[in-house]
């Protein structure tokens, strides 16, 4: 178990090395949060009127959640690309744990997600967002986003392993994540929506994740949001880790 994890970390580092030779991909990690914050805080927030500081305080956690969850699509896309290019066939001939390449891919994308999260917080600070709770609560909020993203990364990995192509994988994952992120209270309070949409937003796990992060960073935390988020995270891991491992074993036979 320890050896497999060590090998997975080694392969995760191998997956990160190409970033230094691909400035466009690295720039995308850095500037995606900038674009999202400009769109939601300045354009949508400005169009809605009201105090910009309040818009920043409400929307920045939502933006952080949205970019983090959408970033998990890259896990499946990278897996589908590696399988198509025969990379996993070469791994199969090496004296390493069978699960190491899959674990390494998930861990590599989690590390790149840390860059996106850090950039989101830096841009948020530049536009006026401030953490009004304590450092422990702030770190707990970031950790909550990361564990949910990790759980979704395993789901993305499973889709990437069963999809026929990178394009189809991206289409399937986007079709799932877009309704979850935009149909949540990450950007708009559920109480401002019609009855049926308000119900959906209240049941949406992304709404609870955004609410938990908002409370951990800005105060007014609802413990139920944290509990529901952790419950969804556990359920996703229990569901998708075995599915991804089974699909992976089938693909590398």
């Amino acid at each position: 178990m320890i050896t497999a994890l060590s090998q997975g970390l080694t392969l995760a580092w191998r997956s990160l090395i190409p970033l230094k030779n691909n400035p466009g991909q690295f720039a995308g990690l850095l500037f995606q949060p900038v674009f999202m914050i400009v769109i939601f805080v300045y354009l949508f927030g400005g169009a809605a009127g009201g105090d910009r500081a309040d818009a920043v305080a409400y929307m920045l956690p939502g933006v952080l959640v949205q970019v983090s969850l959408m970033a998990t699509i890259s896990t499946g896309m990278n897996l589908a690309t590696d399988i198509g290019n025969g990379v996993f066939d070469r791994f199969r001939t090496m004296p390493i744990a069978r699960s190491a390449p899959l674990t390494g891919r998930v861990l590599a994308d989690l590390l790149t997600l840390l860059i996106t999260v850090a950039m989101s917080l830096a841009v948020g600070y530049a536009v006026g967002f401030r953490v009004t709770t304590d450092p422990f609560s702030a770190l707990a909020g970031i950790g909550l986003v990361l564990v949910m993203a990790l759980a979704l990364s395993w789901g993305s990995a499973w889709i990437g392993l069963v999809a026929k192509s990178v394009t189809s994988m991206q289409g399937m994952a986007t079709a799932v994540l877009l309704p979850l992120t935009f149909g949540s209270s990450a950007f708009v309070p559920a109480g401002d929506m019609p009855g049926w949409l308000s119900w959906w937003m209240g049941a949406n796990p992304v709404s609870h994740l955004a609410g938990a992060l908002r409370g951990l960073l800005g105060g007014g935390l609802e413990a139920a949001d944290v509990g529901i988020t952790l419950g969804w995270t556990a359920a996703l891991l229990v569901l998708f880790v075995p599915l991804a491992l089974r699909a992976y074993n089938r693909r590398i036979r």
Side-chain angles (χ1 to χ4, degrees):
M1 180 68 176
I2 296 177
T3 301
L5 179 59
S6 176
Q7 293 169 348
L9 289 171
T10 300
L11 292 178
W13 178 247
R14 166 234 169 230
S15 299
L16 293 174
I17 291 176
L19 282 177
K20 69 178 183 180
N21 300 320
N22 191 346
Q25 183 180 359
F26 188 70
L29 292 175
L30 295 178
F31 290 108
Q32 183 187 18
V34 177
F35 298 145
M36 296 300 295
I37 289 172
V38 169
I39 290 173
F40 284 101
V41 174
Y42 284 95
L43 296 183
F44 292 172
D51 185 77
R52 188 166 70 87
D54 291 338
V56 170
Y58 188 88
M59 291 189 176
L60 193 281
V63 170
L64 198 154
V65 166
Q66 200 256 5
V67 298
S68 298
L69 299 189
M70 293 298 293
T72 62
I73 296 176
S74 66
T75 301
M77 292 178 61
N78 289 327
L79 276 173
T81 300
D82 286 346
I83 290 174
N85 292 338
V87 173
F88 280 74
D89 291 332
R90 293 193 290 273
F91 284 148
R92 187 171 51 184
T93 65
M94 300 172 64
I96 59 176
R98 288 171 62 88
S99 62
L102 177 59
T103 304
R105 180 71 267 171
V106 173
L107 292 176
D109 291 331
L110 186 63
L111 291 173
T112 59
L113 178 58
L114 282 172
I115 299 174
T116 301
V117 169
M119 189 62 182
S120 299
L121 291 174
V123 175
Y125 188 86
V127 300
F129 180 80
R130 297 293 183 270
V131 176
T132 58
T133 56
D134 57 275
F136 176 80
S137 296
L139 289 174
I142 300 303
L144 198 63
V145 173
L146 292 178
V147 295
M148 175 63 93
L150 176 63
L152 283 176
S153 290
W154 282 101
S156 176
W158 174 67
I159 296 174
L161 290 165
V162 300
K164 300 299 183 182
S165 66
V166 177
T167 302
S168 62
M169 181 277 148
Q170 184 178 19
M172 286 187 287
T174 301
V176 173
L177 286 177
L178 278 181
L180 285 174
T181 54
F182 287 103
S184 70
S185 60
F187 307 112
V188 180
D192 296 342
M193 297 292 106
W196 65 271
L197 184 55
S198 178
W199 174 86
W200 162 250
M201 292 170 71
N204 190 335
V206 178
S207 294
H208 294 288
L209 175 59
L213 180 61
R214 197 172 287 121
L216 288 166
L217 296 181
L221 175 66
E222 294 287 343
D225 286 331
V226 176
I228 292 172
T229 299
L230 290 175
W232 273 103
T233 299
L236 290 171
L237 287 171
V238 169
L239 174 64
F240 285 118
V241 170
L243 286 176
L245 290 173
R246 183 180 303 174
Y248 171 71
N249 287 328
R250 288 176 178 174
R251 291 297 297 266
I252 66 171
R253 283 177 181 172

